[in-house]
Amino acid sequence: MTFEYTENMLHDEDDASDASSDVTELEEYDFPDHFFERDGRLFHSHGSLPYPLPADGPEQARLNNIHKILRDTVESHYLGPVTEVLGDARTRQKRVLDLCTGTGRWPMDMARLFPRVKIYGLDIVPIATRRPLRHVQFEIHDITKRFRWSNGTMDFIHARNIGLAVTNYPELLREVARLLRPGGLFFSGEIGRTIDFAHGSSFDLARQAPHARSFFQVVNRSLELRHLAPIADRIPGFIQQCHQFTVPTIQTFHIPVGDWHSNPVMRRVGRMYLAALKDFAESLKPMLREARMTQHEIDTLVTGFIEDIEHVPGLVGVYHTAWARKL
């Protein structure tokens, strides 16, 4: 089931207000109100939110693949002192908040690892499973707005690949800091909006994969028209500038594109990521049309991008992660 918060009210941190009259369950007939169709794809209907990608079946499949890719790349569902933060849930209810939860795979997987923890997943559209585990709750919420919970309610806030939904990350961090208990954990993970070569490679992207490079340049210019600047490698600086967190721990991971990697697991990851990038390019076509590119220009851009990522070995995506604790 999915819930919608209907009033601009805060709730007591100890009751979580799961059954409050201000959080109402969506009925099946409510779901179409959250979507509209354009160019044969289904998009969110919240006009003020800049998120540019569809919310239909093909895009949901891509999100599920990205979840598996990141799990296998990091070799875990989480980084940082999560077990310490969420341990000993018998003394009080521990709570986790997942921002831009999408299909809800991460909250559901975490709920199996931490069965005593209450986990909330927020998204602008109701595309998560309608049959969550008992201690998982999905809610509709625009994460650029104030959250419904009281100060110091959450133990862990997870923000993975939210960069296409947030135009002011420092402002979001202030709200995250408000929600976290002292000692609570914030995690950010963002796949950079570019492509690179693996460590140790002497290849030059401009010469070896010019179409892939051009693709991301064009996409980023179009996204900046929506005030969505690339921020993946800037988030640790935002965390420090907030002055409400410990010094962030930073890790980056390379995600192979294609099956060139020597490790069998990473070869499988690379094949999945290649497919996900193709789907990403397809999902961006409506946005590129909005940016007044012709269909021929879009087809040429995407075809060249796919040609490069299919045939140039050594390409990687970069997954930028940072975690810090609330002071």
Side-chain angles (χ1 to χ4, degrees):
M1 67 189 76
T2 300
F3 293 83
E4 185 167 22
Y5 180 46
T6 57
E7 296 289 341
N8 186 24
M9 292 177 62
L10 296 180
H11 297 290
D12 182 79
E13 63 179 274
D14 292 323
D15 68 11
S17 299
D18 297 342
S20 166
S21 60
D22 305 308
V23 185
T24 57
E25 183 177 354
L26 283 181
E27 300 295 342
E28 189 170 351
Y29 55 76
D30 293 320
F31 279 65
D33 294 339
H34 294 274
F35 303 93
F36 78 95
E37 187 173 349
R38 185 175 80 244
D39 295 336
R41 304 296 301 269
L42 211 59
F43 292 82
H44 74 83
S45 60
H46 300 262
S48 62
L49 195 71
Y51 187 75
L53 297 179
D56 51 15
E59 178 61 14
Q60 292 174 41
R62 186 189 73 86
L63 294 175
N64 288 338
N65 279 337
I66 291 293
H67 173 67
K68 296 173 187 174
I69 288 164
L70 296 180
R71 177 199 62 200
D72 290 347
T73 298
V74 176
E75 299 181 305
S76 177
H77 287 299
Y78 56 84
L79 292 171
V82 174
T83 54
E84 176 189 340
V85 170
L86 299 183
D88 196 16
R90 295 167 297 179
T91 57
R92 63 170 174 80
Q93 180 66 68
K94 299 293 182 79
R95 294 192 177 94
V96 175
L97 181 60
D98 184 37
L99 306 183
C100 296
T101 196
T103 59
R105 290 296 181 93
W106 186 86
M108 293 290 281
D109 284 345
M110 287 293 286
R112 296 181 183 97
L113 296 176
F114 299 94
R116 294 179 179 270
V117 174
K118 180 73 178 183
I119 304 179
Y120 300 89
L122 302 186
D123 207 286
I124 198 67
V125 286
I127 61 173
T129 176
R130 299 189 67 192
R131 296 178 177 83
L133 296 173
R134 175 185 53 81
H135 51 298
V136 176
Q137 181 165 307
F138 294 113
E139 299 185 16
I140 295 174
H141 183 70
D142 176 354
I143 67 165
T144 66
K145 310 297 183 184
R146 185 178 175 89
F147 296 99
R148 69 178 179 88
W149 292 278
S150 303
N151 298 353
T153 303
M154 296 295 165
D155 296 278
F156 176 26
I157 296 181
H158 181 262
R160 190 175 71 180
N161 289 332
I162 71 170
L164 292 180
V166 179
T167 57
N168 190 334
Y169 208 99
E171 182 177 301
L172 174 68
L173 276 176
R174 288 190 288 272
E175 182 69 352
V176 165
R178 181 186 72 79
L179 286 183
L180 281 174
R181 296 177 185 270
L185 181 65
F186 173 66
F187 170 82
S188 164
E190 295 282 336
I191 299 177
R193 295 199 321 242
T194 185
I195 207 159
D196 208 343
F197 279 104
H199 290 308
S201 172
S202 59
F203 292 134
D204 175 21
L205 199 63
R207 288 194 306 109
Q208 303 297 129
H211 302 298
R213 180 173 178 265
S214 176
F215 172 82
F216 279 105
Q217 288 175 334
V218 171
V219 166
N220 283 325
R221 283 198 297 269
S222 297
L223 289 169
E224 286 174 5
L225 295 175
R226 295 171 176 250
H227 307 288
L228 294 169
I231 58 168
D233 59 351
R234 298 171 60 197
I235 292 172
F238 293 151
I239 293 173
Q240 289 187 285
Q241 292 161 18
C242 186
H243 301 299
Q244 298 194 63
F245 296 93
T246 60
V247 175
T249 297
I250 303 167
Q251 290 178 271
T252 58
F253 299 84
H254 277 184
I255 310 170
V257 180
D259 61 358
W260 57 265
H261 205 282
S262 60
N263 181 291
V265 172
M266 296 312 291
R267 271 202 305 275
R268 177 173 55 81
V269 167
R271 289 192 292 269
M272 292 174 63
Y273 192 47
L274 174 62
L277 284 173
K278 292 179 182 178
D279 292 338
F280 179 63
E282 190 66 31
S283 290
L284 283 169
K285 285 183 176 180
M287 183 194 74
L288 297 175
R289 291 189 194 99
E290 279 190 359
R292 300 190 175 183
M293 291 182 67
T294 68
Q295 190 61 48
H296 175 71
E297 289 171 333
I298 293 169
D299 290 342
T300 300
L301 182 73
V302 170
T303 299
F305 171 64
I306 292 174
E307 179 76 15
D308 276 358
I309 62 176
E310 281 186 333
H311 296 103
V312 178
L315 291 174
V316 296
V318 182
Y319 183 45
H320 301 262
T321 73
W323 62 263
R325 300 185 74 163
K326 170 74 181 298
L327 293 173

